Amino acid sequence: MASEERVPWKKVLYGNKGYPDNYTDPSFLKELQKNKNVKIFEFTEAFLGITKLNYQLSTVTAFLLIFHAMYNEHIEPNVVLIYSSMATLLGYILYIRKEFSLRAFSDHIKTVLSVIVFGYISSPLLHTLTQSISTDTIFTMTFFVMFIHLIFFDYGVPAFMVSTAISFNAAIFGAICLSSRLSSSFHAFTLLIVSSEFFALLPLFMERFWSPLWMLMIAILSSYFLLNLSLSLWLTYILISFFVNIICPYVFVDQQKHKNNIHGPWDEAIVKEDMEPF
């Protein structure tokens, strides 16, 4: 049958007899749309968004600096425990001041006491758990688990690889590994408490009170202590921070011009809940 004698092609299922399966009508591409619903980000938006990653990187750096100070006996564990507990108490007061509940407060006290008691009882075991492993291996394992912590951390952007459980467990495992290098079980107990404050409580506080100023503050403190510790470590930290907070947002914004997403009749059908039944 000649093409002009055929029934006009329609975009319906099983209604186009006489047309090959791969037939494409000229009207098929009329519904083609490019970059539909694409959001173009400015550099400021990308810069502020990436600060959460830089903040968490600085948090891990600050935790490792605390470990290094206790490892080399530059600071007593009771001093670390007192100041970290005071900071945690202040943060908790700010966290619950608008939504105070006696029942919630009681539950929080029970949780804190159970963590402290369990941590204190288990610290001698955790302190000796990995003592048979060489120090170089411990430090290498800690590097990789902290890297895993940064990868799976929840930065507020929905993604398939975000996992709070994996991120938290990786950080705690790193703290347990490092605790075996300290001189006493009380040192190990202090480091585990600090790791809980850094990687369990602090993310909850930042989720409610996040501001780029927090990143700036902890970055300045980390830079100061790293500079006193090692010039090469300080330069490495500065270069990584510059790459994360400046280079990455610039490249991301610059590459947006290459976006070329196409939408059309071939897209998967989406059922709308507000559609009226037939």
Side-chain angles (χ1 to χ4, degrees):
M1 183 183 295
S3 59
E4 60 270 17
E5 297 177 0
R6 291 183 293 187
V7 178
W9 182 87
K10 296 180 181 180
K11 194 172 66 173
V12 294
L13 189 62
Y14 304 121
N16 295 301
K17 295 182 180 180
Y19 292 91
D21 293 338
N22 60 350
Y23 175 79
T24 301
D25 189 79
S27 63
F28 186 73
L29 294 179
K30 288 183 178 180
E31 299 180 25
L32 173 66
Q33 293 178 317
K34 291 185 178 180
N35 295 336
K36 181 182 178 182
N37 300 325
V38 171
K39 177 177 173 57
I40 302 299
F41 291 90
E42 299 293 335
F43 178 80
T44 303
E45 296 177 277
F47 174 83
L48 293 177
I50 204 68
T51 51
K52 290 188 176 181
L53 171 59
N54 206 354
Y55 165 79
Q56 196 61 27
L57 179 64
S58 299
T59 300
V60 173
T61 303
F63 174 76
L64 295 178
L65 284 170
I66 293 175
F67 161 75
H68 183 270
M70 290 197 297
Y71 178 72
N72 290 282
E73 302 293 343
H74 293 160
I75 188 172
E76 294 296 326
N78 56 336
V79 175
V80 175
L81 190 61
I82 290 173
Y83 280 100
S84 65
S85 299
M86 291 174 57
T88 302
L89 180 60
L90 177 61
Y92 178 72
I93 293 174
L94 294 174
Y95 187 85
I96 67 168
R97 63 189 176 93
K98 293 183 178 180
E99 301 177 359
F100 179 78
S101 170
L102 187 60
R103 180 182 179 86
F105 178 75
S106 177
D107 292 339
H108 294 162
I109 292 297
K110 293 178 182 178
T111 302
V112 170
L113 290 178
S114 62
V115 170
I116 292 175
V117 172
F118 177 77
Y120 189 78
I121 293 175
S122 61
S123 58
L125 173 62
L126 297 176
H127 179 244
T128 58
L129 187 62
T130 57
Q131 278 190 345
S132 60
I133 304 175
S134 67
T135 300
D136 291 340
T137 303
I138 288 294
F139 290 163
T140 303
M141 289 172 57
T142 303
F143 171 80
F144 281 110
V145 295
M146 288 302 179
F147 187 68
I148 292 174
H149 163 75
L150 293 173
I151 291 176
F152 289 93
F153 188 79
D154 185 4
Y155 299 102
V157 179
F160 74 94
M161 64 188 307
V162 172
S163 176
T164 303
I166 294 178
S167 177
F168 174 71
N169 289 331
I172 295 300
F173 178 73
I176 293 175
C177 290
L178 293 177
S179 65
S180 65
R181 304 299 101 175
L182 298 176
S183 58
S184 69
S185 59
F186 185 69
H187 283 73
F189 168 72
T190 301
L191 188 67
L192 293 176
I193 293 298
V194 172
S195 67
S196 299
E197 294 168 342
F198 270 61
F199 304 117
L201 300 181
L202 192 57
L204 297 177
F205 180 84
M206 288 301 167
E207 184 178 354
R208 180 173 297 185
F209 300 103
W210 167 251
S211 170
L213 294 177
W214 292 111
M215 188 277 294
L216 181 62
M217 181 180 68
I218 194 170
I220 292 175
L221 290 175
S222 298
S223 298
Y224 173 76
F225 288 107
L226 279 174
L227 184 60
N228 293 330
L229 178 65
S230 170
L231 179 61
S232 60
L233 288 177
W234 178 78
L235 287 174
T236 301
Y237 174 77
I238 293 299
L239 290 175
I240 291 176
S241 298
F242 179 79
F243 175 79
V244 170
N245 245 119
I246 303 297
I247 302 299
C248 288
Y250 173 79
V251 172
F252 173 76
V253 172
D254 180 68
Q255 293 300 306
Q256 289 182 107
K257 62 178 178 287
H258 299 296
K259 287 184 177 181
N260 191 22
N261 299 328
I262 59 174
H263 304 268
W266 52 82
D267 290 343
E268 182 180 356
I270 299 176
V271 180
K272 296 182 179 180
E273 297 181 358
D274 57 347
M275 290 182 64
E276 297 182 0
F278 292 101

